[in-house]
Amino acid sequence: MTVWATPEEYALRAGVGLTDSSRPQISALLEDAEAVIRAHLPPAYEPPAPVARAILIKVARRSKINPGGRTSKTVGSTAESYDDRGGLFVTEDEVRALTAGLTRPSTAYTVGVADPGMRQVGGAPWPGPR
């Protein structure tokens, strides 16, 4: 798996300091966030690097700020509310941005396969076209 963002890129874009003690946690968080994002993408698809980096950092930061997905927290007389549900998740808009370059077929179709030159299928004579 490629890593779409480094801990240094995360720190720069999230506006946080990067220390020797925080680097392993941020690396792990980026790996986890990328795995969650990739679960929403087609196999072997690589989104555009700048888009992947931006969304990866957004998903990771959302999880770091609010890992438990709280909506609010009160400690004594101080209350804090969160406008985001937190945790590791990817929104539909984020998936759309990541897959914007993919072309999708607009309709389903069936392809019939036949080889008239082949006279036997599985040991039995081929009945030929009807």
Side-chain angles (χ1 to χ4, degrees):
M1 172 167 59
T2 61
V3 177
W4 293 332
T6 64
E8 290 79 13
E9 291 169 321
Y10 174 91
L12 177 67
R13 287 168 172 80
V16 298
L18 184 62
T19 64
D20 288 342
S21 63
S22 68
R23 181 182 305 275
Q25 181 192 25
I26 291 173
S27 290
L29 185 58
L30 289 170
E31 288 175 19
D32 292 350
E34 186 171 337
V36 169
I37 292 169
R38 282 187 185 278
H40 293 276
L41 302 178
Y45 172 71
E46 284 297 320
V51 175
R53 180 176 39 253
I55 292 175
L56 173 63
I57 290 171
K58 182 178 181 182
V59 170
R61 187 162 192 267
R62 175 166 60 220
S63 178
K64 181 135 174 66
I65 290 171
N66 187 6
R70 293 185 181 104
T71 54
S72 64
K73 174 172 73 172
T74 304
V75 177
S77 62
T78 304
E80 204 175 65
S81 63
Y82 302 97
D83 62 350
D84 210 343
R85 64 182 181 190
L88 277 176
F89 68 93
V90 185
T91 68
E92 288 180 14
D93 286 341
E94 290 165 343
V95 172
R96 268 195 295 278
L98 287 161
T99 58
L102 284 175
T103 56
R104 295 175 180 92
S106 59
T107 58
Y109 56 91
T110 302
V111 176
V113 179
D115 184 354
M118 187 168 136
R119 293 293 166 205
Q120 287 195 346
V121 177
W126 184 63
R130 294 182 185 202

